[in-house]
Amino acid sequence: RKEVEQDPGPFNVPEGATVAFNCTYSNSASQSFFWYRQDCRKEPKLLMSVYSSGNEDGRFTAQLNRASQYISLLIRDSKLSDSATYLCVVNKDTDKLIFGTGTRLQVFP
Amino acid sequence: EPEVTQTPSHQVTQMGQEVILRCVPISNHLYFYWYRQILGQKVEFLVSFYNNEISEKSEIFDDQFSVERPDGSNFTLKIRSTKLEDSAMYFCATTLRYEQYFGPGTRLTVT
């Protein structure tokens, strides 16, 4: 089983739509959780850390379910500039980040 | 967000040659990481470096790889004898408040 699993997509959505990405992780000892976005051939950029109570940053909402080992990202009112690959990332008790393969989002006009 | 620069942006080398990839964090950070991403694949951890020592390394980081911080600011990744399968994007990262921030990467092409 992969350490971090994501649906690769692509998700093709119109501007203004709401889209949700899911991610599961295999190691129950995982401690920290993040969503990064990656544009084509660019570096991963931190979008948001994910907290147990859930957190929101503008149009983005992240949720964590430790019992189900499940993380989600919701994007409301999608913009063309949201088109990217969204990476689910976890780490355990070290600083090593473990990445999912990413979910590709394409927002069209 | 801490700014990390990497040089070169693109390196082409022949199989068997040595390459050195460089990373420079703007601020005076202590924690550094190298990751790589083969085209079309996920980002993979290579090594973490703290206080001038390797703190953790992955199975990928074999004897062909080494890291050092030669002058207190630059952080380098050396591949001693490159193989075709070393072709990838190599990202340096640093930590701020338990979050990792990545440099723009070096694209390494081994021919």
Side-chain angles (χ1 to χ4, degrees):
Chain A
R1 185 180 169 187
K2 291 180 185 175
E3 290 185 277
V4 180
E5 286 206 64
Q6 296 182 252
D7 180 344
F11 284 59
N12 296 304
V13 303
E15 275 185 287
T18 295
V19 61
F21 304 136
N22 302 321
C23 165
T24 56
Y25 59 95
S26 61
N27 193 322
S28 59
S30 299
Q31 294 184 349
S32 302
F33 309 89
F34 310 91
W35 283 102
Y36 281 75
R37 73 168 274 166
Q38 185 174 31
D39 294 288
C40 189
R41 295 180 180 259
K42 300 287 189 181
E43 75 274 24
K45 289 191 187 243
L46 180 64
L47 184 64
M48 56 200 303
S49 300
V50 186
Y51 305 121
S52 296
S53 54
N55 47 301
E56 188 174 305
D57 183 1
R59 298 181 294 109
F60 299 85
T61 301
Q63 296 280 348
L64 168 64
N65 184 323
R66 284 187 185 270
S68 302
Q69 294 177 205
Y70 171 95
I71 308 161
S72 66
L73 177 69
L74 185 78
I75 305 176
R76 287 181 298 279
D77 188 23
S78 299
K79 312 287 184 198
L80 294 175
S81 56
D82 293 334
S83 298
T85 297
Y86 289 83
L87 309 176
C88 177
V89 183
V90 307
N91 72 2
K92 298 186 295 179
D93 50 3
T94 70
D95 290 338
K96 176 177 79 172
L97 295 183
I98 302 167
F99 284 77
T101 51
T103 298
R104 196 154 62 89
L105 171 66
Q106 183 67 49
V107 182
F108 58 87
Chain B
E1 181 176 317
E3 196 172 321
V4 179
T5 59
Q6 291 186 242
T7 57
S9 58
H10 190 191
Q11 173 91 47
V12 181
T13 190
Q14 288 190 324
M15 200 166 51
Q17 296 296 304
E18 174 183 284
V19 294
I20 297 176
L21 312 182
R22 290 183 170 80
C23 170
V24 182
I26 299 299
S27 307
N28 189 24
H29 289 178
L30 296 176
Y31 291 86
F32 302 95
Y33 312 85
W34 283 101
Y35 292 82
R36 79 170 186 191
Q37 186 175 31
I38 295 170
L39 186 64
Q41 297 186 22
K42 66 179 181 178
V43 177
E44 299 174 290
F45 170 79
L46 289 177
V47 65
S48 57
F49 191 80
Y50 168 67
N51 207 21
N52 295 322
E53 287 185 357
I54 290 175
S55 53
E56 188 176 359
K57 59 184 181 180
S58 71
E59 290 176 355
I60 303 168
F61 195 88
D62 60 23
D63 292 343
Q64 293 298 313
F65 291 87
S66 61
V67 289
E68 62 177 8
R69 200 174 179 205
D71 57 10
S73 59
N74 287 292
F75 177 49
T76 63
L77 174 70
K78 183 192 291 187
I79 309 175
R80 244 179 292 282
S81 177
T82 50
K83 303 189 277 286
L84 294 176
E85 53 265 38
D86 293 327
S87 294
M89 284 290 288
Y90 288 81
F91 296 108
C92 170
T94 189
T95 298
L96 181 65
R97 294 189 299 272
Y98 308 108
E99 295 170 338
Q100 288 189 26
Y101 295 89
F102 287 74
T106 293
R107 184 198 311 269
L108 176 65
T109 302
V110 182
T111 62

